[in-house]
Structures are given as structure tokens and as C-alpha cells.
Amino acid sequence: ASLWEIADPSSLTYNTALGQTTLDSGGGPPTIQGLGWVRTGYNFSDVSTTPGHANCDNWTSRSNVDNGSVAVLPHDWAAGVQDMHVWDVGTRACDFKLGVWCAQDALQFQYMPALMKR
């Protein structure tokens, strides 16, 4: 997911059947163990150490010298400073094995009334 798709997790429903959980995560996402790759929306291929730019060369690199952006919900509430809204962000080498943050449209069923002609 792009960080912008998950920027406000209070409006999302976390899928505990597919996503990672911890003993105290309840129905929400994990914190420290929830570090995962996140799309940036950045316009260019980038392998820098700049969060929000780094994208493992548009997610094609697995090199340990290239970097991609990662995000995690903070586990230390006393620190009181998050990088992006509620997220702590950073970069990791592209060969680092992590999960990914994903977003999915919920299936919405609309039941239309049957229209009858006379």
C-alpha cells in the first residue's frame, strides 16, 4: 500500500486472518513487529536512505546497497513523536526480508429493489 492509503489507520479494518498479529494486537495491526515495506508514490526510481523517496529502484532491486521505505506503528508511546501522522518511517536495504503493508477495497454489495412493470 502507499503510505497515503493507510495514513489514518483508524478508518481501516485490519484483516487479522491475513495480517500479522501479536498477543496484544486484538483486532488491529501490530506495532514493532509490524515493520513493513510501504509504497511512497515518489515519481522516480530511488535507492537512497531518504524515507518517502527510497523505493528499491521502483521495487525491482534486492540489493543490500539499495534502499526502500518502511513504516511501522510506534510501540513507544512515551516518545510522542511520529514521523508521518501516526507512522514511524525509515528505510531498509532491499535485501531485508519484511512483510508489506497492503490495502484492499472492501467488497460492498448493493441490493437493488426489483423493478416491476405493470
Side-chain angles (χ1 to χ4, degrees):
S2 164
L3 186 60
W4 308 115
E5 294 175 293
I6 59 174
D8 181 6
S10 68
S11 66
L12 303 173
T13 302
Y14 187 73
N15 187 331
T16 57
L18 294 176
Q20 185 178 14
T21 59
T22 60
L23 293 175
D24 193 36
S25 59
T31 56
I32 192 167
Q33 292 177 326
L35 181 69
W37 298 110
V38 65
R39 297 183 72 83
T40 65
Y42 191 56
N43 261 353
F44 306 100
S45 294
D46 195 291
V47 295
S48 71
T49 56
T50 305
H53 288 195
N55 59 23
C56 290
D57 197 18
N58 280 325
W59 308 107
T60 62
S61 174
R62 292 183 183 171
S63 172
N64 66 346
V65 296
D66 295 342
N67 296 285
S69 294
V70 295
V72 65
L73 291 167
H75 67 281
D76 183 356
W77 295 1
V81 178
Q82 284 72 47
D83 301 315
M84 288 291 301
H85 188 52
V86 299
W87 295 92
D88 284 338
V89 297
T91 60
R92 290 289 184 273
C94 298
D95 69 338
F96 203 77
K97 293 187 182 200
L98 287 175
V100 297
W101 285 103
C102 298
Q104 174 183 347
D105 290 335
L107 294 176
Q108 294 182 358
F109 296 100
Q110 293 182 340
Y111 296 97
M112 305 299 251
L115 298 176
M116 308 286 281
K117 286 187 177 180
R118 287 187 172 199

